[in-house]
Amino acid sequence: MTSMFALWASALLALVGSVTEVTITPMESQTSVFIAIDGDVQYRDFTMEGPNRLVVDLMGARHALPRAEFTEVNRGGIRSVRSSQYSEDVVRVVFVLDERLGYTIVSEGRGLRIALQNPSGDFEPWSSGVYALRAPEPAAAPEAARAAPARQQSQARRISVTWTEAPINDVLLAFASFSGTSIVPGANVTGFVTADINDQPWDVALQTILSGQGLVAAEDDYGIIRVDNITELNSREEIEPIETRAHRISFATAAEVQTAVTPLLTARGQATVNPGTNTLIVSDIARVQNSIAALLSEVDIETPQVSIQAKLIFVNRTNLDEFGVTYELKDSRGNQINALSSGLADTDGDGVADVIPQGEASILLGGNSVAALGNATARVAGPSLQLLTSLVMGRHTLLGFIDALTSVNMSDIEASPQLTVLDNQQARIHVGELTPIRVVDAGTTGGGAAPTAQVQQQETGVILTATPHVTADGHILLELETERSAAELAPSDAGFIFRRQVATTRVLVRDGETVVIAGLTQSERTEARTGIPLLQELPLIGRLFRVVREQEIQQDLIVLVTPTIVRSN
């Protein structure tokens, strides 16, 4: 079986045009980039800006690199490397540069040599070959496996082969010969493999076969893949030396990250926090250190900020209409009540009328006399129109007061709080006062204990509390609570009355969209009639014997919110 596979692998390796590796090495004052190609191909090159890139298209080639993207290269002016099967027979390799650099390209026997200007000085060599196979993560629960995001498809060379009861060591030797990678099995790696692989990346096929045999593969820093039994690997980890690394946290706090990495630690590992430098210090084996570093690259990322602008509009309109007719009947030689106006009467019998001030009544104890009042205590307060009529009938005078009032009051109060907060964090703004409230405890115990008083502080004014959540499609899930409140003295000894308008909601808003989260209209209409009994009910002329007060109050509250994602430059 092994000889058949060797013949098949030799035929596959004879194919021309496979792009197998990219290496970056220092060379005097230049950066040397070599693209390894199995066969002769033609190429074209050009540069792009925003960011600066060098693009090399290889015509008549096939993509066989282990990955499509290599980030964090950061060597010799090259920031990262991307590659893809741009078309059926064209492989595109893109070098993302720190700045615009001069370059030359020379075709060599097994590939292309690119000489770039080197603005950063000496650096460690880099090769895409070390990414051919990564160490697998520890086995996870089925639920976690189902919830994990889909991994990027492997770009390794594809293999098609069938094994029937083949020894595992022969299978590993075949994979090593096909991939050109050193694979070393452990002492306890035994078993037989029966598998049918049809056009799959070789590294994926290898990991699948090893997983079915209860084996795992780990690649060291030199690119050598070691295959071991899972139990042997766990036993070796128990005696593996402990490493201590410091992970500097940039966008979160080390205390927050500590809870996320603790489940990854082994029984001998520990993670401590240095709050002074916001650093997470981890002591554990190398596998755990690498897993924590990979997790931190996903967790410790820049969080978007959200600017929240709210507007609270409170409109209060009051319409007041009052109309009333009041009467007073005076007797110049007898009784006078004088509640509405002063009067004249001969109180001492000298034949000369004396002035009686308003509010001071004159009472005749003997003889015939009559005085009367109508609606005296129900007059319109502060009228805008007053009419006075008088009717003299012998010694009696009938005075009539007509009062009318129409008023319209309108108040418009607007508050526009604005705040900026990190995604998934709560923000709160309060513009107003702290109203002290004294609470008196009279005491329930005997002995004549004196009452005790405590002072509590109640917030009033405009209060905005918001927690934004930025979704994957750029929307904002906003948890919001707005309040407008004011304190008024209570009519009794209760202390204060707090008038509040509160809106609490959870709403999904597009970036920069204004949404009305609350709207309330409250109307109150009152009518009061005071008049002379029976007479005020007469049709047509009944209004002449009563005082009417009509009041209408309308209050409108509108809350508008505009969240905007703050994007960094």
Side-chain angles (χ1 to χ4, degrees):
M1 181 64 191
T2 305
S3 59
M4 293 178 61
F5 176 79
L7 293 175
W8 176 86
S10 300
L12 184 61
L13 290 175
L15 294 176
V16 297
S18 296
V19 180
T20 59
E21 188 175 7
V22 177
T23 58
I24 303 175
T25 56
M27 185 179 65
E28 296 181 356
S29 61
Q30 293 182 328
T31 299
S32 177
V33 180
F34 183 73
I35 303 176
I37 307 171
D38 291 340
D40 295 330
V41 298
Q42 297 179 349
Y43 71 92
R44 64 187 175 198
D45 61 277
F46 56 92
T47 59
M48 302 179 67
E49 296 181 353
N52 292 298
R53 286 160 290 174
L54 170 61
V55 182
V56 179
D57 286 341
L58 305 172
M59 281 78 77
R62 181 179 179 182
H63 189 282
L65 293 173
R67 287 187 180 181
E69 184 173 4
F70 302 90
T71 59
E72 304 298 331
V73 174
N74 296 329
R75 286 172 171 82
I78 301 176
R79 188 180 306 171
S80 60
V81 179
R82 299 197 304 265
S83 60
S84 65
Q85 190 72 45
Y86 184 70
S87 62
E88 184 177 357
D89 59 346
V90 176
V91 173
R92 170 165 290 183
V93 182
V94 180
F95 299 92
V96 181
L97 309 177
D98 291 331
E99 57 186 86
R100 186 173 182 178
L101 302 175
Y103 68 95
T104 57
I105 300 180
V106 178
S107 179
E108 296 185 358
R110 297 187 65 252
L112 294 180
R113 178 76 63 181
I114 304 174
L116 278 169
Q117 294 178 349
N118 182 7
S120 58
D122 196 18
F123 58 88
E124 292 291 331
W126 178 88
S127 174
S128 63
V130 299
Y131 294 89
L133 188 65
R134 289 295 184 185
E137 299 293 335
E143 293 80 8
R146 287 195 296 268
R151 295 182 179 179
Q152 184 179 3
Q153 186 177 3
S154 173
Q155 299 296 327
R157 296 175 60 189
R158 309 180 79 85
I159 183 173
S160 297
V161 65
T162 300
W163 285 288
T164 303
E165 292 296 326
I168 184 64
N169 289 334
D170 292 347
V171 173
L172 296 178
L173 180 61
F175 273 106
S177 175
F178 177 80
S179 62
T181 305
S182 299
I183 302 179
V184 180
N188 296 323
V189 175
T190 58
F192 297 90
V193 176
T194 299
D196 185 9
I197 306 299
N198 183 19
D199 193 27
Q200 296 296 326
W202 72 265
D203 55 350
V204 175
L206 176 60
Q207 291 189 25
T208 304
I209 292 174
L210 296 180
S211 177
Q213 297 291 322
L215 304 173
V216 292
E219 183 181 7
D220 60 17
D221 296 336
Y222 300 97
I224 300 176
I225 301 174
R226 177 166 178 171
V227 179
D228 281 304
N229 191 284
I230 294 179
T231 57
E232 292 292 333
L233 182 63
N234 294 335
S235 300
R236 189 168 70 248
E237 287 186 350
E238 293 179 357
I239 60 174
E240 186 176 342
I242 298 294
E243 299 180 7
T244 299
R245 300 182 188 178
H247 302 273
R248 182 69 177 272
I249 309 301
S250 300
F251 300 102
T253 63
E256 293 173 343
V257 176
Q258 183 184 22
T259 59
V261 304
T262 299
L264 301 179
L265 301 176
T266 63
R268 297 186 296 154
Q270 63 176 354
T272 58
V273 172
N274 184 352
T277 59
N278 197 34
T279 302
L280 182 67
I281 303 175
V282 180
S283 297
D284 214 319
I285 61 177
R287 178 186 62 81
V288 176
Q289 296 284 8
N290 295 333
S291 299
I292 291 177
L295 177 63
L296 292 180
S297 65
E298 299 291 336
V299 174
D300 186 27
I301 59 177
E302 184 176 0
T303 304
Q305 297 186 101
V306 179
S307 175
I308 303 173
Q309 182 176 1
K311 179 172 288 189
L312 287 77
I313 304 174
F314 184 77
V315 181
N316 189 350
R317 292 185 293 271
T318 303
N319 297 329
L320 178 62
D321 293 321
E322 292 188 77
F323 179 85
V325 181
T326 56
Y327 304 93
E328 184 169 11
L329 181 64
K330 301 177 182 293
D331 187 348
S332 61
R333 289 182 292 173
N335 293 326
Q336 292 189 15
I337 301 177
N338 298 322
L340 300 178
S341 62
S342 59
L344 296 174
D346 185 7
T347 58
D348 52 8
D350 59 357
V352 178
D354 301 318
V355 178
I356 303 175
Q358 180 181 354
E360 186 177 312
S362 174
I363 302 175
L364 179 64
L365 297 179
N368 298 323
S369 181
V370 62
L373 289 175
N375 302 331
T377 59
R379 296 193 65 182
V380 176
S384 57
L385 175 64
Q386 285 185 309
L387 294 177
L388 173 62
T389 64
S390 63
L391 178 61
V392 179
M393 298 174 294
R395 66 180 192 180
H396 292 86
T397 301
L398 177 62
L399 300 176
F401 295 88
I402 301 175
D403 300 325
L405 172 65
T406 298
S407 66
V408 178
N409 296 326
M410 181 174 178
S411 62
D412 185 355
I413 302 174
E414 293 188 12
S416 300
Q418 182 175 357
L419 50 85
T420 302
V421 61
L422 283 173
D423 185 26
N424 300 313
Q425 299 295 322
Q426 186 185 84
R428 187 174 188 270
I429 184 172
H430 172 214
V431 180
E433 303 83 22
L434 286 176
T435 302
I437 304 174
R438 188 172 65 173
V439 180
V440 179
D441 185 2
T444 57
T445 59
T452 59
Q454 296 180 349
V455 177
Q456 300 178 355
Q457 303 288 342
Q458 177 69 34
E459 291 183 344
T460 57
V462 177
I463 303 174
L464 174 64
T465 303
T467 303
H469 308 280
V470 179
T471 63
D473 57 356
H475 285 65
I476 302 173
L477 180 62
L478 195 61
E479 298 179 6
L480 191 70
E481 179 176 352
T482 60
E483 175 182 337
R484 178 189 176 273
S485 57
E488 298 178 3
L489 288 175
S492 62
D493 59 352
F496 293 93
I497 296 177
F498 293 94
R499 302 190 181 276
R500 305 175 65 206
Q501 294 87 33
V502 181
T504 302
T505 185
R506 188 179 186 189
V507 62
L508 185 64
V509 187
R510 289 195 294 266
D511 181 19
E513 180 185 39
T514 299
V515 60
V516 180
I517 67 167
L520 173 64
T521 299
Q522 179 179 353
S523 298
E524 179 181 354
R525 187 178 185 275
T526 59
E527 181 178 346
R529 291 186 179 186
T530 304
I532 302 173
L534 299 179
L535 296 180
Q536 69 169 340
E537 304 298 335
L538 294 175
L540 299 179
I541 63 173
R543 290 180 61 89
L544 299 177
F545 302 99
R546 64 174 179 252
V547 176
V548 180
R549 187 176 191 270
E550 297 178 354
Q551 184 178 24
E552 183 178 358
I553 300 175
Q554 182 172 338
Q555 297 176 336
D556 298 322
L557 174 64
I558 302 175
V559 181
L560 308 172
V561 175
T562 305
T564 305
I565 301 176
V566 181
R567 307 183 188 276
S568 61
N569 293 331

